[in-house]
Amino acid sequence: MIGERGINLSGGQRQRISVARAIYQETNMVFLDDPFSALDVHLSDHLMQEGILKLLRDDKRTVVLVTHKLQYLPHADWIIAMKDGTVLREGTLKDIQNNDPELYEHWKTLMNRQDQEFEKETISESKTVLERKNLRRAMYSREAQLKTQQDEEEEEEELESDDEDDVSSVFRQRAKLPWGAFLRYLTSGGAPLLLLLILSQLLKHSAMVAIDFWLSEWTSDAYNCTGAAQQPNCSHGNGTQALQGCRILCIYPMVFGLLCCSGIALCFITSLTVEWTGLKTARNVHNNMLKRIVLAPMRYFDTTPLGHILNRFSADTNIMDQVRTV
């Protein structure tokens, strides 16, 4: 399975795809920057003969080829030899042979050496191919072939299950967030805002508890005062205490009003603090993420799917903007 933009392709596979795109692109000029570096000798020769010479040169298209394969120099119409970023020699192969015979002899020895290596590899590969064919014909029968087919099917099923496990593991990692991520999110807004947020939350809940406690005290004292006033056979002292308790009941509405006002003010301050902290935190996280993405090396973009990067700036940023997790 080929991932997004070929992130799971090897270097040679990527180079083959790039060369194929350049060859089949209908342009008048084609620039090939060392296309044989990640290919073996046979693939390089096949690419030169069937791709560059047959599909490009015969089609009257200009090809600029950068390579260190000197055996392909006779096919070049114009040669530019460079060394340390400067042009060493320029012209056709015959011009270089006439003007700089030493360089031409050096190239010739290298070309002969590369041709010998190519012949050795072709001979060795042909021998190995023949040996493999003979061994297969001698050793493997029809039952063995069926068995190998069954083994290959089992291996394919195992690979598919491994791929599913990899996908599920990715989703599991996506679903689980470490506690350090929440801590970094809270501290990205700044220490003063975080302390103000914690303090406002504590004061708000303390005010709510104080209001409930004051209401319970108020109702209990009112019940005791009402019961004492309704007793017919109470003494003078008890009646006086009941009247004093009834006078004390006038203090409860004032304190209750002050507690309610303070609770409303603390709720308003807490809401403003939450919104302010969430806005500043989302802005800082977005700016830091954008800075990291801009300064990231190209290797990161080659190995990371583009959808994952876009989700960080779209879905996750929307969650931080719409849903306050503080």
Side-chain angles (χ1 to χ4, degrees):
M1 296 177 65
I2 305 301
E4 186 175 351
R5 295 193 304 165
I7 58 176
N8 57 347
L9 293 177
S10 63
Q13 291 171 342
R14 291 182 184 179
Q15 193 150 3
R16 295 175 202 177
I17 293 174
S18 300
V19 170
R21 287 177 176 174
I23 289 175
Y24 290 104
Q25 193 76 17
E26 296 181 358
T27 55
N28 295 326
M29 297 186 66
V30 178
F31 293 88
L32 299 176
D33 186 8
D34 199 8
F36 309 119
S37 60
L39 305 178
D40 57 8
V41 180
H42 297 282
L43 285 175
S44 301
D45 187 71
H46 183 77
L47 174 62
M48 186 67 190
Q49 299 296 330
E50 300 294 332
I52 298 175
L53 296 179
K54 187 175 181 181
L55 295 178
L56 297 179
R57 189 179 179 184
D58 293 347
D59 199 18
K60 305 299 181 182
R61 297 164 68 181
T62 304
V63 181
V64 179
L65 175 64
V66 180
T67 182
H68 62 280
K69 301 285 186 179
L70 300 178
Q71 66 267 27
Y72 302 135
L73 288 179
H75 301 290
D77 299 323
W78 192 261
I79 301 171
I80 300 176
M82 300 189 68
K83 183 178 181 180
D84 297 331
T86 58
V87 177
L88 183 63
R89 287 289 180 271
E90 185 176 358
T92 62
L93 189 60
K94 289 184 179 180
D95 295 338
I96 296 174
Q97 181 180 1
N98 296 327
N99 297 329
D100 196 348
E102 295 181 358
L103 181 62
Y104 177 76
E105 291 297 329
H106 179 64
W107 284 0
K108 191 174 181 181
T109 54
L110 292 177
M111 283 189 286
N112 293 329
R113 188 181 304 170
Q114 290 176 357
D115 290 335
Q116 290 176 2
E117 292 178 357
F118 177 72
E119 291 177 357
K120 288 181 180 178
E121 289 187 1
T122 52
I123 292 170
S124 62
E125 285 190 358
S126 62
K127 287 182 179 179
T128 54
V129 169
L130 290 173
E131 289 176 356
R132 287 175 182 174
K133 287 182 178 179
N134 293 328
L135 286 173
R136 285 177 182 175
R137 290 175 183 174
M139 295 178 62
Y140 290 99
S141 61
R142 187 174 181 180
E143 295 178 356
Q145 291 178 358
L146 292 174
K147 187 176 181 181
T148 53
Q149 290 178 0
Q150 293 176 358
D151 295 337
E152 290 177 356
E153 291 178 356
E154 291 178 357
E155 289 178 357
E156 290 178 356
E157 292 178 356
E158 291 178 357
L159 290 175
E160 290 178 357
S161 63
D162 292 338
D163 294 335
E164 293 177 356
D165 293 338
D166 294 337
V167 173
S168 61
S169 63
V170 170
F171 280 109
R172 284 197 299 270
Q173 291 177 359
R174 172 73 176 144
K176 294 181 180 179
L177 287 176
W179 290 104
F182 293 100
L183 182 61
R184 287 193 298 269
Y185 175 76
L186 291 174
T187 55
S188 60
L193 276 179
L194 182 60
L195 292 176
L196 181 61
L197 177 64
I198 296 173
L199 183 62
S200 62
Q201 291 281 359
L202 291 176
L203 291 177
K204 183 187 76 170
H205 291 289
S206 299
M208 296 301 176
V209 174
I211 290 172
D212 294 337
F213 175 76
W214 194 255
L215 280 175
S216 64
E217 290 292 327
W218 188 3
T219 53
S220 63
D221 288 348
Y223 177 76
N224 294 330
C225 180
T226 303
Q230 291 178 354
Q231 288 180 1
N233 298 322
C234 62
S235 62
H236 179 75
N238 292 333
T240 305
Q241 291 179 358
L243 291 175
Q244 291 178 356
C246 294
R247 292 172 184 174
I248 293 173
L249 287 176
C250 299
I251 302 175
Y252 285 102
M254 298 174 58
V255 177
F256 179 74
L258 292 175
L259 289 176
C260 290
C261 293
S262 62
I264 293 171
L266 288 173
C267 289
F268 180 71
I269 293 172
T270 303
S271 300
L272 287 179
T273 306
V274 168
E275 295 297 328
W276 189 12
T277 305
L279 180 61
K280 189 173 182 180
T281 300
R283 184 183 299 159
N284 292 335
V285 170
H286 180 271
N287 293 336
N288 293 331
M289 182 170 56
L290 182 61
K291 184 179 179 181
R292 297 288 180 87
I293 291 295
V294 170
L295 299 178
M298 291 303 299
R299 177 66 179 170
Y300 174 77
F301 298 98
D302 292 336
T303 56
T304 305
L306 186 60
H308 291 182
I309 300 175
L310 292 177
N311 284 334
R312 303 294 83 78
F313 287 94
S314 58
D316 294 347
T317 305
N318 184 45
I319 291 173
M320 287 191 296
D321 292 335
Q322 300 296 330
V323 183
R324 304 302 184 192
T325 58
V326 293

